Amino acid sequence: MVMTERGNGLASRTGMFGVNRLTRSFSNLLGSVTVILASLLPVSIYLLLGDGDFAQKGLLFIAYVVSCSGLGFLLANLLSNTLLYHLIAVALTVVTGVLGGSFLKLEEFSHRLANASQYTPQHWFLNGLTRSTTTTELIILLGLGVGSIILGLGIGAVRHDRA
């Protein structure tokens, strides 16, 4: 790393390797997906080895991971803190897991929370596990994930151009 001085007197690190912003963003996104997959490994083994079509459940699980990673990527770019991709993605996965009804039945606490939980990736993932066809859930989860990644890249590019 090379140290340079900004106009306001603060020192900043400048990378010496020729890695563009898009490559760096995708590598951070891939790291985020890896961290989520590793944290969900015990749950995924339990869910995938249960009753039902293994391939269909596997695709649904991958769509869920893409969805949570994409939302984490978007939030990291909105918060202008691209160093926290992994933390935000895992935290978002846990929060949507709680709100989606994996740990607690939210219907017992509040009707509003139960309605809010229907719009989380975790709800669509669990709904897809209980149904025989998961086309709707796959489209929703993949659309949410890919759309969030595209928005995150756009926000990151706009902020990078202004800097």
Side-chain angles (χ1 to χ4, degrees), residues 10-157:
L10 294 174
S12 68
R13 294 183 187 148
T14 307
M16 293 177 59
F17 303 107
V19 178
N20 63 11
R21 180 164 172 71
L22 185 65
T23 304
R24 189 173 59 244
S25 293
F26 276 122
S27 67
N28 283 331
L29 185 62
L30 182 62
S32 174
V33 168
T34 305
V35 169
I36 290 176
L37 282 174
S39 65
L40 292 176
L41 191 62
V43 174
S44 64
I45 291 171
Y46 173 74
L47 290 174
L48 293 175
L49 294 180
D51 295 336
D53 186 19
F54 179 77
Q56 187 174 351
K57 285 182 177 182
L59 284 173
L60 191 63
F61 183 73
I62 290 170
Y64 173 67
V65 170
V66 168
S67 173
C68 287
S69 298
L71 287 173
F73 186 76
L74 176 63
L75 280 175
N77 280 306
L78 283 173
L79 297 174
S80 297
N81 197 347
T82 55
L83 299 176
L84 294 177
Y85 283 129
H86 310 12
L87 179 64
I88 291 173
V90 171
L92 189 70
T93 303
V94 171
V95 168
T96 60
V98 170
L99 290 178
S102 286
F103 303 109
L104 303 169
K105 295 290 183 191
L106 296 179
E107 296 89 23
E108 298 173 3
F109 296 107
S110 168
H111 184 62
R112 287 184 182 166
L113 283 176
N115 286 339
S117 73
Q118 293 178 359
Y119 300 102
T120 62
Q122 181 75 20
H123 174 76
W124 294 317
F125 175 64
L126 291 175
N127 193 26
L129 287 177
T130 59
R131 296 180 54 192
S132 60
T133 59
T134 59
T135 307
T136 305
E137 287 81 5
L138 281 172
I139 290 171
I140 290 171
L141 289 172
L142 286 175
L144 181 66
V146 172
S148 298
I149 291 169
I150 291 170
L151 279 173
L153 286 173
I155 290 169

